[in-house]
Amino acid sequence: MKVSRIKEGRLSNATKSEVRLIQMTPFFSDKVAMQKRMKENPKIYEVHEAKREGLSFAVTTIFPGKIGREFFMTRGHAHRNPDPEIYHVLSGKGLLLCEDESFQHALLEKGCVAYVPGFVRHRTVNVGTHPFIFLTTYATDAGHDYGYVETHGFSKIVVTRRGGWRVEQRVGKKI
Ligand code: S6P
Ligand code: ZN
């Protein structure tokens, strides 16, 4: 048995990775706004992942912020195998986007637990003013596939609107 602890988005006995704007260029829709922030190259989110035999888990922290009108978010991916994944929100406020033939979104806050079916593309977005922190649990051999989202994106984006947030149709073709 191996026990990990979560403190302020950090998970012990885990591998940390961080994603900055430069790694997100295919994902944000406003290319002009992105160029303006590129020198600063802000950290968009970080992940502390504990790979275990069979079942892995990770804590993601998405920092508050926007690129143009679009809120900071994860790249998004689908799993190549049919196993589902569980999201458990630890703090902050964000959206979980899920898309296959149809698009769905849900607002998640501290204490929410969400179920993501296998194969469905999923992305999280911080729509709050504090870090959005959540724990995910998934099959170690889930087979994370970023290719489709990188080339096609999601059909909708999450943008700021009158001090709040709004899910709107992405304009323009991605490829
Ligand atoms: C893993 C799970 C999360 C994400 C993390 C970062 O299956 O969905 O731990 O990996 O939130 O997102 P992304 O899309 O960059 O992997
Ligand atoms: Zn996943």
Side-chain angles (χ1 to χ4, degrees):
M1 185 172 71
K2 204 169 189 180
V3 175
S4 297
R5 284 177 198 284
I6 303 169
K7 198 178 171 193
E8 288 159 10
R10 285 186 293 276
L11 178 68
S12 64
N13 297 315
T15 307
K16 178 186 169 186
S17 57
E18 50 179 57
V19 176
R20 290 184 175 272
L21 181 58
I22 187 110
Q23 293 148 271
M24 295 284 294
T25 51
F27 301 98
F28 283 111
S29 50
D30 186 338
K31 305 300 172 198
V32 175
M34 216 160 27
Q35 263 326 311
K36 284 187 185 150
R37 302 286 300 277
M38 207 46 91
K39 200 168 170 206
E40 170 204 350
N41 193 20
K43 199 198 296 189
I44 310 293
Y45 62 101
E46 64 181 40
V47 182
H48 294 247
E49 184 185 42
K51 276 197 189 296
R52 301 285 181 259
E53 207 176 301
L55 202 56
S56 289
F57 49 98
V59 174
T60 303
T61 300
I62 309 178
F63 299 99
K66 293 184 278 299
I67 299 298
R69 293 187 307 135
E70 195 171 10
F71 286 102
F72 281 14
M73 61 186 180
T74 59
R75 292 169 293 172
H77 60 268
H79 299 175
R80 290 195 187 89
N81 75 25
D83 294 324
E85 169 165 25
I86 298 296
Y87 274 64
H88 176 194
V89 177
L90 302 173
S91 67
K93 182 169 85 165
L95 292 189
L96 175 62
L97 315 183
C98 286
E99 185 160 41
D100 45 13
E101 293 83 38
S102 61
F103 176 92
Q104 286 185 301
H105 71 270
L107 179 65
L108 303 180
E109 292 176 287
K110 184 179 175 175
C112 288
V113 177
Y115 172 92
V116 178
F119 303 129
V120 171
R121 296 184 291 283
H122 47 286
R123 162 181 286 164
T124 35
V125 185
N126 185 348
V127 295
T129 50
H130 298 284
F132 178 43
I133 306 175
F134 53 89
L135 171 72
T136 54
T137 310
Y138 47 93
T140 301
D141 65 356
H144 292 73
D145 178 6
Y146 293 89
Y148 186 93
V149 176
E150 188 166 336
T151 49
H152 296 79
F154 281 70
S155 60
K156 298 185 184 194
I157 59 173
V158 185
V159 297
T160 182
R161 167 98 172 170
R162 293 186 183 147
W165 56 271
R166 182 172 110 119
V167 177
E168 68 177 34
Q169 199 65 33
R170 185 166 46 75
V171 180
K173 222 169 175 321
K174 187 85 169 39
I175 51 171

